[in-house]
């Protein structure tokens, strides 16, 4: 027994020793071998980069001064001139093919050649021209112009197309201001024709810039040409449909993952990708359908798959797929761009691009990675895996961005054209141009004018993104329309009340009376500076220089408005939470009058509102700038002539920018007074003409904006504890309640 | 180690039954075994550090050990490089393929010493300190692979950072000799100082087939957008000088010009500006009394007065970065490091990493022709914008300019973003400095949408065991017209939820639940808030003084005309 145990132990000890020596043996030779190797050679080709530790030279020796020769060489001015003469044609850049000096005199002005009799112009091109003519950039004087646009239709340069304009070459050369195309902008949607679809326009464009659809990266002259989207004849001139996304669903997946429905070309340029789509189609959540049925003689080229494909194609409805898919495939057509792109964008179906070498629309300013998936035609088979790997948070954000971009830059011909012009203007102004953030975030580049300020914190839109707060002071602007008679006049009461507000930095009085200004001693003493601006007949904010508004918020008041400093304080604290909206007291509403087929205006007490009158409202200073610089002269002069509707126009503008309603804050209403009291007040509000004018204004404005931008709201913001059953002493804004 | 544990646990159980002399014998035996095992263990778990320590001391790798490669005169020369190259035409994407990490694999060729037939090396300097730093950083990064067959991008170890030190033809031949060259496909070259006298081309003159070029000093005519990468010219001072970050704000000087090799026409123009605006401008040049070299690079002079460079850059709001013979200037890096806003005057220059960086937020670009208007242009910029630019400039330097590592990794990240665009870094990730990243609020639902009422809402009711109040809530809430769905979450594992439609009535439920009045409850919640705030690093909650009510809330108005007459009566 004992011996047995002894053997057992010896055996196990032996086994243990063997194991030990085995482990050690394996380890040791390996270690010694590798060490041996390295010490023999010090270097082995297939091992990681060895981090050399020798003392090495600097790549730029201290004494290698850059430029002794350069200083002796030609002057920089000459060098610039050399560039200008060398880089022409396909190598045109703003530096070499554009005359900046034309823009410095009068700013960025665009001239459109007068239309020749007998020249046919397509509807799309007509839309482009009338957009430019209606924009703030337009000038009818070629001597003032910085940019020239032809009245010859260059949109369709496909020789087989009925829209093709012949003899363009001579027509262009004969233009007196052509100047080899310098400072000219040429719009084009289609170029080349079957079978190779070249990007040549069929006439010498000289040094002109191209705003062209389906442009390839090889031919695209960066920061010179502008890539525009392909749009159809039916694309609306102004306004445009809104995006289809009405609300966000979480998780963001739709019925289909990836869809496509379109032609298959069988042969020739651009056919490869579409011919291969059936490999990825699974008839479940990836539905990629093609049809061979197009053109006259499709039967001739028909291949083995055609009948099956065609049958499958007819089973699905395109619209249904578009609206129910998370991703939409946008493969190239014969040309690089296709209509599918804008369709997907509008439908909030994230485009998956399969169009190698397409310079995406407005690529100079739009960060397409935030709204589309840029695929590679060579990796078609990986596309399903790729889109499935995209996280749902990312899908949610891609989808929202499609809607933002659609509405900001693509929904109408006007937006496409204005975006093109703004891009060129940004290049011309260079140091006063928009940053990428302004182009790629709400409300977009068309509403964010860089001439206002280069500092993003001066705009109402970027506080959250930059993590900053609006400046905590405001400037009050009081419109004085009644003469100053005694201290009891409302204007003086108003002045005192506003000056008492802890957030008030200064007060500006716009004196619009026929009576002369009262003597100094009759003005009340205030703790904040009061500036009085006197005007002959009409002083409006439109004409008031912005220099005197150092603070970002503007409180605008009519002399008749009655308010307490506590109301002002409260409205201002609310505004700080909503700096991009109008925050104020008197609210109005709009409605669609189906009998008259026009918009109606109402001041009745309703359960909702869409406007807050600027007679007592706080809004961001930037909107003044936008009012003056964004809106066309036609609307502004209409407002001036009527001396009415300015506040409606401001509400239209702000809602068009924010896509949100204004905000109404607490106001004590005297029901009886408004019902019958209006006539007793000798107010122009009671004037029926005045009211009719406002109706007309609304309809004028809506037609200029192309759609009704106003949005209804049912919400009013009151102080917390407002009219709650607690002691009035606990309420900070108790005076609002007491009124 | 596992074996050790097993033996020592079995040992003591056997020992008591043995004779004493045997016992001693066995104990000795076991100790030997144990010691042996421990020794083995040590060997197994420590060998790496032992080895690397040995490497460190025994065989420091030296560039002199690199194998010599002789280039025959007739060795092929690559083509000049195609200006039409783009990722989809000149880059083999199949090498990168799909991978769940969406990260490219980068291979670095081992160092070789190329010489011509006479034994003269192709480069006067060989591997430079900067290029060694760059390759070392890449080899330490996640992009690196030492497996050439899995690589998507290849980086030659031939140093072409400075064209001046290269023999163009022979360097090109050496590139073509690389085993995987294949017309330069998927090869990446780093060059910071392109061109040479007299014309100074803006891209590397070495013929390179389809290779991608990460170049400092591209002009709009040589840069292949979406293919090449524009990189900064590294400033050697970055490694030597430490400039502490300065708070953004006004500085002693308004504009500072510190470059030494400015064309005399431009210097004359600057002098004129100085005459007009006096003290606001500081115009420095090299010091005439100092010999050249590292020390001279650290000094600047104005009328005999000596200033420390780059420290003096911190004393100015704006710093001029004028083109020299080349468009790319190392001074840009110094200026950014100092948190001074660069005023860039270099027509047609492609700014470093312009594909991802928003330079409009960190610099002012002025056409060379407008140098004389510089002062007026800069004066028109609001103070707060200048401050933001100062902060942004410093951040760009820290993140993308400060070392060869930063430059190399950024370049690879940009190429990576092109190959996996759906996983690319965002504008915010590239451009927002950490302070903005922390304080900014980016709502996941950023689109201003007012959802329609039609789909209604889903009510989620959380409950534990108070069935009666649950029923009351359900009864009340089911009256709401826009309710689409009601979800009850039963939070009680000990009790199953009530079955069926017992009775949806609650005669005497008490409305107020006592919880919120309980003192300890409040204390607990305060603790929670403090805990959360410390985890977030900041207090994200904001205080407002307003509350949303219906438009006609408590107005003196007939109740029957109000949309929500009952609100406030609860």
């Amino acid at each position: 027994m004992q011996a047995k145990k002894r053997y057992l132990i010896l055996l196990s000890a032996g086994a243990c020793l063997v194991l030990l020596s085995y482990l050690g043996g394996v380890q040791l030779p390996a270690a010694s071998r590798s060490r041996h190797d390295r010490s023999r050679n010090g270097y082995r080709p297939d091992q990681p980069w060895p981090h050399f530790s020798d003392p090495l030279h600097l790549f730029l020796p201290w004494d290698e001064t850059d430029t002794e020769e350069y200083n002796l060489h030609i002057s920089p001015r000459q060098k610039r001139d050399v560039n200008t003469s060398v880089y022409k044609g396909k190598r045109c850049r703003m530096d070499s093919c554009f005359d900046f000096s034309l823009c410095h005199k009068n700013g960025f002005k665009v001239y459109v050649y007068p239309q020749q009799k007998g020249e046919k112009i397509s509807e799309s091109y007509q839309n482009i021209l009338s957009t430019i003519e209606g924009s703030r950039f337009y000038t009818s004087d070629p001597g003032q112009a910085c940019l020239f646009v032809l009245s010859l239709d260059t949109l369709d340069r496909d020789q087989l197309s009925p829209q093709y304009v012949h003899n363009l070459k001579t027509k262009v050369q004969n233009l007196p201001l052509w100047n080899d195309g310098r400072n000219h902008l040429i719009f084009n949607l289609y170029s080349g024709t079957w079978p190779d679809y070249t990007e040549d326009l069929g006439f010498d464009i000289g040094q002109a810039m191209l705003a062209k659809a389906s442009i390839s990266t090889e031919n695209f002259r960066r920061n010179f040409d502008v890539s525009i989207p392909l749009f159809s004849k039916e694309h609306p001139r102004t306004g445009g449909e809104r995006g289809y996304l009405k609300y966000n669903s979480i998780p963001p997946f739709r019925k289909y993952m990836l869809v496509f429905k379109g032609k298959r070309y069988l042969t020739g340029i651009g056919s490869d990708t579409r011919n291969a789509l059936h490999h990825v189609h699974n008839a479940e959540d990836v539905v990629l359908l093609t049809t061979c049925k197009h053109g006259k003689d499709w039967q001739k080229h028909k291949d083995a798959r055609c009948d099956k494909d065609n049958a499958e194609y007819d089973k699905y409805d395109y619209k249904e797929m578009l609206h129910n898919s998370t991703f939409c495939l946008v493969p190239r057509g014969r040309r690089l761009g296709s209509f599918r792109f804008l369709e997907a964008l509008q439908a909030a179906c994230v485009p998956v691009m399969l169009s190698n070498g397409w310079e995406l629309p407005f690529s100079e300013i739009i960060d397409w990675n935030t709204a589309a998936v840029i695929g590679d035609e060579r990796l078609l088979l990986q596309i399903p895996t790729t889109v499935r790997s995209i996280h749902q948070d990312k899908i949610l954000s891609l989808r929202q961005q499609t809607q933002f971009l659609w509405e900001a830059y693509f929904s109408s011909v006007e937006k496409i054209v204005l975006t093109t012009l703004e891009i060129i203007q940004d290049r011309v102004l260079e140091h006063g141009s928009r940053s990428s953030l302004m182009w790629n975030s709400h409300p977009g580049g068309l509403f964010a004018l860089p001439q206002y300020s280069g500092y993003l914190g001066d705009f109402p839109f970027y506080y959250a993104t930059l993590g900053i707060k609006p400046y905590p002071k405001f400037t009050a602007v009081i419109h004085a329309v009644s003469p100053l008679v005694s201290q009891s006049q409302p204007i003086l009461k108003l002045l005192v009340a506003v000056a008492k507000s802890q957030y008030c930095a200064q007060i500006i009085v716009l004196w619009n009376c026929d009576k002369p200004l009262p003597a100094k001693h009759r003005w009340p003493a205030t703790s904040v500076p009061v500036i009085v601006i006197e005007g002959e007949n009409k002083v409006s904010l439109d004409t008031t220089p912005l220099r005197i508004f150092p603070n970002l918020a503007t409180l605008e008041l009519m002399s008749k408005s009655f308010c307490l400093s506590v109301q002002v304080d409260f409205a201002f604290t609310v505004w700080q939470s909503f700096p991009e909206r109008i925050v104020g007291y008197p609210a109005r509403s709009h409605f669609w009058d189906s009998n008259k087929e026009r918009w109606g205006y109402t001041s009745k007490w309703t359960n909702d509102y869409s406007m807050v009158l600027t007679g007592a409202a706080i809004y961001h200073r930037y909107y003044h700038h936008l009012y003056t610089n964004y809106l066309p002269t036609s609307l502004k002069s209409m407002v001036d002539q009527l001396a009415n509707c300015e506040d409606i126009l401001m509400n239209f503008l702000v809602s068009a920018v924010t896509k949100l309603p204004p905000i109404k804050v607490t106001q004590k209403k005297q029901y009886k007074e408004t019902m019958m009291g209006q006539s007793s007040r000798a107010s122009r509000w009671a004037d029926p003409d005045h009211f009719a004018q406002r109706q007309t204004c609304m309809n004028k404005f809506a037609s200029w904006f192309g759609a009704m931008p106003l949005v209804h709201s049912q919400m009013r913001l009151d102080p917390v504890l407002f009219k709650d059953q607690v002691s009035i002493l606990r309420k900070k804004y108790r005076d609002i309640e007491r009124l | 180690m596992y074996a050790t544990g097993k033996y020592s646990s079995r040992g003591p159980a056997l020992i008591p039954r043995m004779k004493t002399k045997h016992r001693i014998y066995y104990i000795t035996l076991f100790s030997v075994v144990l010691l042996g095992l421990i020794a083995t263990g040590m060997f197994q778990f420590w060998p790496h550090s032992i080895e690397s320590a040995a490497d460190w001391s025994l065989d420091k790798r030296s560039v002199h050990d690199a194998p010599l490669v002789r280039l025959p005169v007739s060795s092929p020369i690559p083509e000049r490089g195609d200006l039409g190259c783009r990722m989809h035409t000149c880059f083999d994407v199949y090498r990168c393929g799909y991978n769940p990490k969406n990260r490219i694999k980068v291979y670095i060729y081992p160092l070789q010493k190329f010489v011509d037939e006479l034994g003269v090396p192709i480069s006067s300097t060989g591997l430079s300190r900067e290029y060694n730093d760059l390759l070392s950083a890449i080899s330490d990064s996640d992009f690196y692979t030492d497996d050439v067959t899995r690589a998507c991008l290849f980086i030659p170890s031939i140093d072409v950072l400075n064209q001046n030190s290269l023999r163009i033809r022979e360097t090109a031949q050496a590139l073509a000799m690389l085993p995987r060259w294949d017309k330069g496909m998927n090869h990446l070259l780093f060059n910071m100082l392109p061109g040479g006298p007299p014309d100074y081309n803006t891209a590397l003159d070495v013929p390179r087939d389809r290779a991608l070029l990460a170049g400092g000093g591209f002009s709009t005519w040589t840069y292949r957008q979406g293919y090449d990468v524009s990189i900064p010219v590294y400033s050697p001072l970055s490694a030597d000088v430490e400039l502490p970050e300065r708070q953004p704000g006004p500085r002693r000087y308004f504009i500072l010009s510190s470059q030494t090799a400015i064309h005399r026409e431009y210097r004359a123009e600057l002098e004129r500006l100085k005459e007009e605006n006096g003290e606001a401008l500081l115009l420095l040049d090299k010091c005439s009394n100092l010999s050249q070299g590292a020390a001279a690079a650290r000094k600047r002079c104005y009328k005999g007065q000596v200033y420390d460079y780059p420290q003096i850059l911190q004393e100015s709001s704006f710093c001029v970065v004028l083109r020299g013979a080349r468009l790319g200037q190392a001074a840009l890096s110094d200026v950014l490091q100092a948190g001074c806003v660069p005023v860039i005057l270099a027509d047609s220059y492609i700014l470093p990493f312009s594909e991802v960086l928003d330079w409009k937020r960190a610099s002012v670009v002025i056409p060379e022709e407008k140098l004389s208007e510089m002062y007026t242009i800069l004066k028109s910029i609001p103070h707060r914008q200048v401050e933001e630019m100062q902060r942004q400039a410093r951040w760009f330097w820290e993140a993308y300019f400060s070392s060869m590592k930063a430059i190399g990794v950024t370049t690879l990240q940009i190429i990576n973003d092109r190959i996996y665009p759906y996983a690319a870094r965002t504008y915010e990730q590239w451009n927002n400095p950490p302070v903005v990243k922390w304080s900014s609020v980016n709502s996941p639902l950023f689109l201003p949408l007012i959802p329609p009422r039609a789909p209604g809402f889903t009510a989620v009711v959380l409950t534990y065991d108070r069935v009666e109040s649950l029923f009351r809530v359900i009864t009340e809430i089911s009256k709401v017209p826009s309710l689409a769905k009601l979800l009850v979450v039963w939070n009680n594992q000990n009790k199953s939820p009530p079955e069926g439609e017992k009775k949806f009535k609650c005669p005497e439920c008490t409305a107020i639940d006592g919880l919120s009045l309980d003192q300890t409850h409040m204390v607990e919640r305060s603790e929670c808030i403090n805990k959360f705030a410390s985890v977030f690093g900041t207090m994200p909650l904001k205080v407002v003084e307003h509350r949303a009510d219906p438009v006609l809330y408590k107005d003196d108005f007939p109740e029957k005309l109000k949309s929500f007459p009952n609100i406030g009566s609860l």
Side-chain angles (χ1 to χ4, degrees), chain B residues 16-282:
Chain B
R17 297 186 202 151
M18 291 168 204
K19 285 179 188 163
T20 329
K21 66 172 182 182
H22 284 137
R23 199 177 290 172
I24 293 162
Y25 166 71
Y26 284 122
I27 287 172
T28 328
L29 186 72
F30 277 123
S31 349
V32 169
V33 171
L34 247 170
L35 270 172
L37 271 172
I38 289 166
T40 320
M42 297 240 305
F43 220 91
Q44 271 195 305
F45 288 95
W46 280 14
H48 303 294
S49 55
I50 290 172
E51 249 184 276
S52 57
D55 273 358
W56 188 249
S57 57
L58 289 176
D59 42 65
K60 254 190 200 169
R61 317 289 174 65
S62 166
V63 285
H64 303 294
D65 298 329
L68 206 66
V69 180
R70 222 170 263 278
L71 296 163
V73 179
S74 59
S75 176
I77 301 175
E79 283 172 31
R80 267 209 64 80
D82 181 359
L83 270 177
C85 262
R86 293 295 182 272
M87 292 308 266
H88 66 278
T89 53
C90 294
F91 192 88
D92 180 5
V93 74
Y94 299 112
R95 284 188 190 277
C96 312
Y98 174 82
N99 75 58
K101 279 187 188 160
N102 297 317
R103 191 178 294 134
I104 55 169
K105 288 280 164 211
V106 181
Y107 173 78
I108 303 174
Y109 283 99
L111 188 69
Q112 287 172 309
K113 196 172 178 186
F114 289 94
V115 293
D116 65 10
E117 283 190 327
L118 300 170
V120 183
I122 58 166
S123 151
S124 59
T125 50
L127 181 71
S128 67
R129 189 170 84 186
E130 285 80 8
Y131 201 52
N132 180 39
D133 289 350
L134 178 80
L135 296 182
S136 305
I138 293 173
S139 74
D140 291 338
S141 74
D142 290 339
F143 294 110
Y144 182 69
T145 178
D146 57 359
D147 182 353
V148 71
T149 57
R150 287 175 58 217
C152 150
L153 197 64
F154 302 86
I155 303 184
S157 57
I158 301 166
D159 182 352
V160 294
L161 282 182
N162 184 352
Q163 190 185 311
N164 276 359
S165 60
L166 298 177
R167 297 167 66 196
I168 306 286
R169 184 189 146 87
E170 288 73 11
T171 308
Q173 287 176 321
L175 287 173
M177 275 186 78
L178 295 171
R180 300 252 165 183
W181 180 250
D182 187 23
K183 290 255 160 233
M185 285 268 236
N186 297 27
H187 280 64
L188 173 65
L189 304 179
F190 284 89
N191 167 257
M192 287 178 176
L193 300 172
D199 311 325
Y200 288 97
N201 193 356
T202 52
L204 181 68
D205 282 318
V206 176
R208 51 185 188 277
D209 281 331
R210 296 171 164 188
L212 301 143
L213 183 60
F218 277 118
S219 82
T220 171
W221 291 289
T222 48
Y223 179 64
R224 296 170 292 183
Q225 164 79 359
Y227 194 65
D228 292 325
V229 182
S230 177
I231 59 168
V233 180
Y234 176 70
S235 167
L237 291 177
S238 299
D240 291 5
V241 187
E242 218 171 285
L243 291 180
E245 185 171 355
R246 267 188 71 163
Q247 281 304 306
R251 305 272 195 261
R252 197 168 145 207
Y253 304 104
F254 186 58
I255 303 174
L256 171 66
S257 163
S258 63
Q259 289 165 290
T260 55
I262 293 175
H263 193 283
R264 56 176 186 277
E265 278 182 25
Y266 286 151
R267 191 166 284 282
E269 197 89 61
L270 288 169
E271 299 280 1
R272 217 170 6 253
L273 276 174
K274 163 98 185 139
E275 269 167 38
E276 284 164 23
N277 303 295
E279 289 298 297
L281 263 77
L282 182 60

Side-chain angles (χ1 to χ4, degrees), chain B residues 454-518:
Chain B
F457 69 91
T458 300
V460 179
V461 183
L462 305 179
T463 180
Y464 184 71
D465 63 352
R466 281 182 294 172
V467 182
E468 290 193 331
S469 75
L470 169 68
F471 285 171
R472 182 168 171 262
V473 167
I474 290 175
T475 325
E476 282 302 315
I477 210 161
S478 53
K479 290 179 196 158
V480 176
S482 39
L483 178 76
K485 207 185 275 177
L486 186 92
L487 191 70
V488 177
V489 180
W490 187 257
N491 260 332
N492 193 344
Q493 290 188 332
N494 303 323
K495 204 167 140 187
S496 45
E499 275 173 47
E501 294 179 30
K502 274 188 180 170
K503 44 175 182 177
F504 277 69
K505 264 187 195 167
C506 171
E508 295 143 284
C509 295
T510 42
I512 307 162
D513 60 292
L515 270 180
S516 51
L517 297 174
D518 183 354

